[in-house]
Amino acid sequence: MILLELFWNFLVIGAVSFGGGYGMISLVRETVLGHGWLTESEFLSFIAVSESTPGPLAVNMATFIGASQAGLAGSLAATVGVLPSFVIILLIAAALHSLMKYAGVNAFLAGVRPCVVAMILATACTMGLSTLGGFTTVSGGFAPDVRALAVFALLSILHFAYKKKTQKAPSPIGMILLSAVLGAVLWSI
């Protein structure tokens, strides 16, 4: 039964997600927390791992979440569930240039853009409040994680200093590797 649930939920998520992997995060979060498959903390860790491993974020998340629930069969069910969205994206990408001449397509995209931004921003705020401030519910108290705040502050300072000096953003891979080293050092103390 869990295999069918994983497949169906990721099929639905993939079919209604706009904005790529980042737009999908809020839907995946709602689904996995609603089913009790992961805690908020586990979900945030899964995002970090999915973001740090090669491949599309949506496929990585589906694979890791499926594996956590039903092993290899679960990872296969969830991943196969999310794959049709990539076929749809490929078809749209192939036809997008010719479709952009229609006012209805442009109107649709203009309406979807703010929604995607809002979903990504809301997810980022929720994750930030949970990770940095310890908020898990609206009525929950403030319990800041000093180490997480230190890593966030250090990476932010590094990002802005590097950008000011070189006029370009630092390498995301370098930032991920640096944060991994900082995490290993700070959380082993």
Side-chain angles (χ1 to χ4, degrees):
M1 186 63 180
I2 185 72
L3 297 178
L4 185 58
E5 280 186 79
L6 286 165
F7 172 79
W8 178 252
N9 280 286
F10 278 97
L11 181 68
V12 169
I13 289 168
V16 299
S17 291
F18 293 99
Y22 295 110
M24 180 184 265
I25 290 174
S26 62
L27 297 172
V28 174
R29 180 181 177 275
E30 180 182 317
T31 300
V32 299
L33 296 180
H35 282 87
W37 292 340
L38 300 174
T39 65
E40 180 79 28
S41 176
E42 290 170 331
F43 178 72
L44 292 172
S45 295
F46 275 54
I47 290 174
V49 171
S50 297
E51 192 60 37
S52 302
T53 52
L57 178 67
V59 172
N60 291 348
M61 286 180 64
T63 303
F64 294 139
I65 291 168
S68 75
Q69 297 309 301
L72 183 60
S75 67
L76 186 61
T79 304
V80 169
V82 83
L83 288 179
S85 66
F86 289 105
V87 174
I88 293 167
I89 290 168
L90 288 174
L91 294 173
I92 291 172
L96 188 60
H97 185 66
S98 62
L99 291 174
M100 292 301 288
K101 64 184 174 188
Y102 297 108
V105 172
N106 286 317
F108 172 81
L109 293 174
V112 168
R113 257 184 247 123
C115 176
V116 170
V117 171
M119 287 173 44
I120 293 170
L121 186 59
T123 302
C125 289
T126 301
M127 290 171 54
L129 288 170
S130 175
T131 301
L132 302 174
F135 289 106
T136 54
T137 64
V138 174
S139 62
F142 181 64
D145 184 340
V146 176
R147 293 176 292 192
L149 286 168
V151 170
F152 180 78
L154 183 64
L155 292 174
S156 296
I157 291 167
L158 177 67
H159 174 85
F160 290 116
Y162 185 88
K163 192 165 186 169
K164 183 174 179 147
K165 183 176 181 179
T166 65
Q167 302 301 314
K168 62 181 185 175
S171 162
I173 295 169
M175 296 294 275
I176 290 170
L177 291 174
L178 177 59
S179 65
V181 169
L182 289 171
V185 169
L186 290 175
W187 273 267
S188 66
I189 295 174

PDB file of all heavy atoms in Angstrom, residues 18-19 23 26 105-123:
ATOM      1  N   PHE A  18       4.603  23.843 -10.427  1.00  0.00           N
ATOM      2  CA  PHE A  18       5.147  24.853 -11.319  1.00  0.00           C
ATOM      3  C   PHE A  18       6.346  25.452 -10.608  1.00  0.00           C
ATOM      4  O   PHE A  18       6.347  25.597  -9.395  1.00  0.00           O
ATOM      5  CB  PHE A  18       4.109  25.947 -11.615  1.00  0.00           C
ATOM      6  CG  PHE A  18       2.941  25.448 -12.406  1.00  0.00           C
ATOM      7  CD1 PHE A  18       1.759  25.118 -11.767  1.00  0.00           C
ATOM      8  CD2 PHE A  18       3.040  25.283 -13.773  1.00  0.00           C
ATOM      9  CE1 PHE A  18       0.680  24.640 -12.484  1.00  0.00           C
ATOM     10  CE2 PHE A  18       1.965  24.810 -14.503  1.00  0.00           C
ATOM     11  CZ  PHE A  18       0.782  24.490 -13.857  1.00  0.00           C
ATOM     12  N   GLY A  19       7.370  25.777 -11.348  1.00  0.00           N
ATOM     13  CA  GLY A  19       8.540  26.399 -10.743  1.00  0.00           C
ATOM     14  C   GLY A  19       9.678  25.429 -10.500  1.00  0.00           C
ATOM     15  O   GLY A  19      10.633  25.758  -9.824  1.00  0.00           O
ATOM     16  N   GLY A  23       9.874  25.043  -6.568  1.00  0.00           N
ATOM     17  CA  GLY A  23       8.434  25.227  -6.437  1.00  0.00           C
ATOM     18  C   GLY A  23       7.753  23.991  -5.882  1.00  0.00           C
ATOM     19  O   GLY A  23       6.695  24.063  -5.259  1.00  0.00           O
ATOM     20  N   SER A  26       7.383  22.955  -1.444  1.00  0.00           N
ATOM     21  CA  SER A  26       6.257  23.189  -0.537  1.00  0.00           C
ATOM     22  C   SER A  26       5.220  22.077  -0.650  1.00  0.00           C
ATOM     23  O   SER A  26       4.631  21.668   0.352  1.00  0.00           O
ATOM     24  CB  SER A  26       5.618  24.550  -0.802  1.00  0.00           C
ATOM     25  OG  SER A  26       5.088  24.606  -2.102  1.00  0.00           O
ATOM     26  N   VAL A 105      -1.278  31.935 -23.553  1.00  0.00           N
ATOM     27  CA  VAL A 105      -0.107  31.282 -22.949  1.00  0.00           C
ATOM     28  C   VAL A 105       0.663  32.298 -22.115  1.00  0.00           C
ATOM     29  O   VAL A 105       1.061  32.015 -20.983  1.00  0.00           O
ATOM     30  CB  VAL A 105       0.791  30.660 -24.036  1.00  0.00           C
ATOM     31  CG1 VAL A 105       2.105  30.160 -23.446  1.00  0.00           C
ATOM     32  CG2 VAL A 105       0.064  29.525 -24.745  1.00  0.00           C
ATOM     33  N   ASN A 106       0.863  33.490 -22.655  1.00  0.00           N
ATOM     34  CA  ASN A 106       1.567  34.539 -21.913  1.00  0.00           C
ATOM     35  C   ASN A 106       0.793  34.944 -20.671  1.00  0.00           C
ATOM     36  O   ASN A 106       1.383  35.180 -19.607  1.00  0.00           O
ATOM     37  CB  ASN A 106       1.824  35.756 -22.806  1.00  0.00           C
ATOM     38  CG  ASN A 106       2.932  35.479 -23.801  1.00  0.00           C
ATOM     39  OD1 ASN A 106       3.947  34.907 -23.445  1.00  0.00           O
ATOM     40  ND2 ASN A 106       2.724  35.879 -25.045  1.00  0.00           N
ATOM     41  N   ALA A 107      -0.521  35.013 -20.767  1.00  0.00           N
ATOM     42  CA  ALA A 107      -1.348  35.366 -19.611  1.00  0.00           C
ATOM     43  C   ALA A 107      -1.257  34.274 -18.542  1.00  0.00           C
ATOM     44  O   ALA A 107      -1.150  34.570 -17.344  1.00  0.00           O
ATOM     45  CB  ALA A 107      -2.800  35.571 -20.046  1.00  0.00           C
ATOM     46  N   PHE A 108      -1.287  33.026 -18.973  1.00  0.00           N
ATOM     47  CA  PHE A 108      -1.159  31.907 -18.043  1.00  0.00           C
ATOM     48  C   PHE A 108       0.171  31.985 -17.301  1.00  0.00           C
ATOM     49  O   PHE A 108       0.219  31.886 -16.070  1.00  0.00           O
ATOM     50  CB  PHE A 108      -1.271  30.578 -18.802  1.00  0.00           C
ATOM     51  CG  PHE A 108      -0.963  29.372 -17.968  1.00  0.00           C
ATOM     52  CD1 PHE A 108      -1.925  28.832 -17.122  1.00  0.00           C
ATOM     53  CD2 PHE A 108       0.288  28.774 -18.013  1.00  0.00           C
ATOM     54  CE1 PHE A 108      -1.638  27.726 -16.341  1.00  0.00           C
ATOM     55  CE2 PHE A 108       0.580  27.670 -17.238  1.00  0.00           C
ATOM     56  CZ  PHE A 108      -0.390  27.139 -16.401  1.00  0.00           C
ATOM     57  N   LEU A 109       1.259  32.173 -18.033  1.00  0.00           N
ATOM     58  CA  LEU A 109       2.582  32.242 -17.415  1.00  0.00           C
ATOM     59  C   LEU A 109       2.718  33.457 -16.505  1.00  0.00           C
ATOM     60  O   LEU A 109       3.341  33.377 -15.442  1.00  0.00           O
ATOM     61  CB  LEU A 109       3.668  32.247 -18.497  1.00  0.00           C
ATOM     62  CG  LEU A 109       3.794  30.948 -19.289  1.00  0.00           C
ATOM     63  CD1 LEU A 109       4.798  31.106 -20.423  1.00  0.00           C
ATOM     64  CD2 LEU A 109       4.170  29.780 -18.399  1.00  0.00           C
ATOM     65  N   ALA A 110       2.121  34.570 -16.902  1.00  0.00           N
ATOM     66  CA  ALA A 110       2.165  35.768 -16.063  1.00  0.00           C
ATOM     67  C   ALA A 110       1.424  35.533 -14.750  1.00  0.00           C
ATOM     68  O   ALA A 110       1.827  36.048 -13.701  1.00  0.00           O
ATOM     69  CB  ALA A 110       1.565  36.967 -16.809  1.00  0.00           C
ATOM     70  N   GLY A 111       0.372  34.755 -14.779  1.00  0.00           N
ATOM     71  CA  GLY A 111      -0.369  34.448 -13.565  1.00  0.00           C
ATOM     72  C   GLY A 111       0.328  33.428 -12.691  1.00  0.00           C
ATOM     73  O   GLY A 111       0.243  33.485 -11.462  1.00  0.00           O
ATOM     74  N   VAL A 112       1.030  32.492 -13.297  1.00  0.00           N
ATOM     75  CA  VAL A 112       1.709  31.434 -12.544  1.00  0.00           C
ATOM     76  C   VAL A 112       2.985  31.951 -11.877  1.00  0.00           C
ATOM     77  O   VAL A 112       3.327  31.533 -10.763  1.00  0.00           O
ATOM     78  CB  VAL A 112       2.016  30.230 -13.465  1.00  0.00           C
ATOM     79  CG1 VAL A 112       2.962  29.254 -12.808  1.00  0.00           C
ATOM     80  CG2 VAL A 112       0.721  29.522 -13.852  1.00  0.00           C
ATOM     81  N   ARG A 113       3.699  32.862 -12.529  1.00  0.00           N
ATOM     82  CA  ARG A 113       4.969  33.364 -11.990  1.00  0.00           C
ATOM     83  C   ARG A 113       4.876  33.851 -10.547  1.00  0.00           C
ATOM     84  O   ARG A 113       5.684  33.431  -9.710  1.00  0.00           O
ATOM     85  CB  ARG A 113       5.508  34.473 -12.889  1.00  0.00           C
ATOM     86  CG  ARG A 113       6.626  34.000 -13.761  1.00  0.00           C
ATOM     87  CD  ARG A 113       7.215  35.137 -14.591  1.00  0.00           C
ATOM     88  NE  ARG A 113       6.903  34.851 -15.977  1.00  0.00           N
ATOM     89  CZ  ARG A 113       6.242  35.630 -16.798  1.00  0.00           C
ATOM     90  NH1 ARG A 113       5.833  36.814 -16.416  1.00  0.00           N
ATOM     91  NH2 ARG A 113       5.990  35.247 -18.015  1.00  0.00           N
ATOM     92  N   PRO A 114       3.932  34.743 -10.194  1.00  0.00           N
ATOM     93  CA  PRO A 114       3.866  35.185  -8.798  1.00  0.00           C
ATOM     94  C   PRO A 114       3.559  34.052  -7.822  1.00  0.00           C
ATOM     95  O   PRO A 114       4.055  34.042  -6.694  1.00  0.00           O
ATOM     96  CB  PRO A 114       2.730  36.215  -8.790  1.00  0.00           C
ATOM     97  CG  PRO A 114       2.546  36.616 -10.204  1.00  0.00           C
ATOM     98  CD  PRO A 114       2.995  35.464 -11.037  1.00  0.00           C
ATOM     99  N   CYS A 115       2.770  33.090  -8.255  1.00  0.00           N
ATOM    100  CA  CYS A 115       2.453  31.948  -7.396  1.00  0.00           C
ATOM    101  C   CYS A 115       3.712  31.135  -7.107  1.00  0.00           C
ATOM    102  O   CYS A 115       3.945  30.735  -5.969  1.00  0.00           O
ATOM    103  CB  CYS A 115       1.390  31.072  -8.066  1.00  0.00           C
ATOM    104  SG  CYS A 115       1.010  29.579  -7.135  1.00  0.00           S
ATOM    105  N   VAL A 116       4.517  30.914  -8.127  1.00  0.00           N
ATOM    106  CA  VAL A 116       5.759  30.152  -7.952  1.00  0.00           C
ATOM    107  C   VAL A 116       6.690  30.887  -7.002  1.00  0.00           C
ATOM    108  O   VAL A 116       7.262  30.291  -6.078  1.00  0.00           O
ATOM    109  CB  VAL A 116       6.434  29.896  -9.318  1.00  0.00           C
ATOM    110  CG1 VAL A 116       7.830  29.332  -9.142  1.00  0.00           C
ATOM    111  CG2 VAL A 116       5.582  28.963 -10.158  1.00  0.00           C
ATOM    112  N   VAL A 117       6.836  32.184  -7.196  1.00  0.00           N
ATOM    113  CA  VAL A 117       7.695  32.973  -6.309  1.00  0.00           C
ATOM    114  C   VAL A 117       7.175  32.898  -4.872  1.00  0.00           C
ATOM    115  O   VAL A 117       7.946  32.708  -3.928  1.00  0.00           O
ATOM    116  CB  VAL A 117       7.784  34.439  -6.791  1.00  0.00           C
ATOM    117  CG1 VAL A 117       8.488  35.309  -5.756  1.00  0.00           C
ATOM    118  CG2 VAL A 117       8.511  34.508  -8.118  1.00  0.00           C
ATOM    119  N   ALA A 118       5.866  33.028  -4.698  1.00  0.00           N
ATOM    120  CA  ALA A 118       5.276  32.975  -3.357  1.00  0.00           C
ATOM    121  C   ALA A 118       5.495  31.612  -2.707  1.00  0.00           C
ATOM    122  O   ALA A 118       5.809  31.529  -1.513  1.00  0.00           O
ATOM    123  CB  ALA A 118       3.786  33.294  -3.420  1.00  0.00           C
ATOM    124  N   MET A 119       5.345  30.534  -3.470  1.00  0.00           N
ATOM    125  CA  MET A 119       5.556  29.192  -2.916  1.00  0.00           C
ATOM    126  C   MET A 119       7.011  28.992  -2.490  1.00  0.00           C
ATOM    127  O   MET A 119       7.294  28.453  -1.415  1.00  0.00           O
ATOM    128  CB  MET A 119       5.145  28.126  -3.930  1.00  0.00           C
ATOM    129  CG  MET A 119       3.647  28.010  -4.116  1.00  0.00           C
ATOM    130  SD  MET A 119       3.129  26.898  -5.443  1.00  0.00           S
ATOM    131  CE  MET A 119       4.147  25.488  -5.244  1.00  0.00           C
ATOM    132  N   ILE A 120       7.938  29.435  -3.327  1.00  0.00           N
ATOM    133  CA  ILE A 120       9.352  29.288  -3.001  1.00  0.00           C
ATOM    134  C   ILE A 120       9.701  30.142  -1.784  1.00  0.00           C
ATOM    135  O   ILE A 120      10.382  29.692  -0.857  1.00  0.00           O
ATOM    136  CB  ILE A 120      10.238  29.652  -4.209  1.00  0.00           C
ATOM    137  CG1 ILE A 120      10.038  28.618  -5.334  1.00  0.00           C
ATOM    138  CG2 ILE A 120      11.705  29.722  -3.820  1.00  0.00           C
ATOM    139  CD1 ILE A 120      10.671  29.002  -6.659  1.00  0.00           C
ATOM    140  N   LEU A 121       9.214  31.381  -1.760  1.00  0.00           N
ATOM    141  CA  LEU A 121       9.490  32.280  -0.641  1.00  0.00           C
ATOM    142  C   LEU A 121       8.881  31.757   0.657  1.00  0.00           C
ATOM    143  O   LEU A 121       9.533  31.777   1.711  1.00  0.00           O
ATOM    144  CB  LEU A 121       8.960  33.676  -0.952  1.00  0.00           C
ATOM    145  CG  LEU A 121       9.287  34.765   0.052  1.00  0.00           C
ATOM    146  CD1 LEU A 121      10.794  34.919   0.222  1.00  0.00           C
ATOM    147  CD2 LEU A 121       8.667  36.083  -0.382  1.00  0.00           C
ATOM    148  N   ALA A 122       7.641  31.264   0.598  1.00  0.00           N
ATOM    149  CA  ALA A 122       6.992  30.733   1.800  1.00  0.00           C
ATOM    150  C   ALA A 122       7.745  29.521   2.332  1.00  0.00           C
ATOM    151  O   ALA A 122       7.952  29.379   3.547  1.00  0.00           O
ATOM    152  CB  ALA A 122       5.538  30.361   1.500  1.00  0.00           C
ATOM    153  N   THR A 123       8.193  28.655   1.441  1.00  0.00           N
ATOM    154  CA  THR A 123       8.957  27.483   1.861  1.00  0.00           C
ATOM    155  C   THR A 123      10.290  27.905   2.454  1.00  0.00           C
ATOM    156  O   THR A 123      10.718  27.371   3.487  1.00  0.00           O
ATOM    157  CB  THR A 123       9.172  26.527   0.674  1.00  0.00           C
ATOM    158  OG1 THR A 123       7.895  26.150   0.155  1.00  0.00           O
ATOM    159  CG2 THR A 123       9.929  25.282   1.094  1.00  0.00           C
TER     160      THR A 123
END
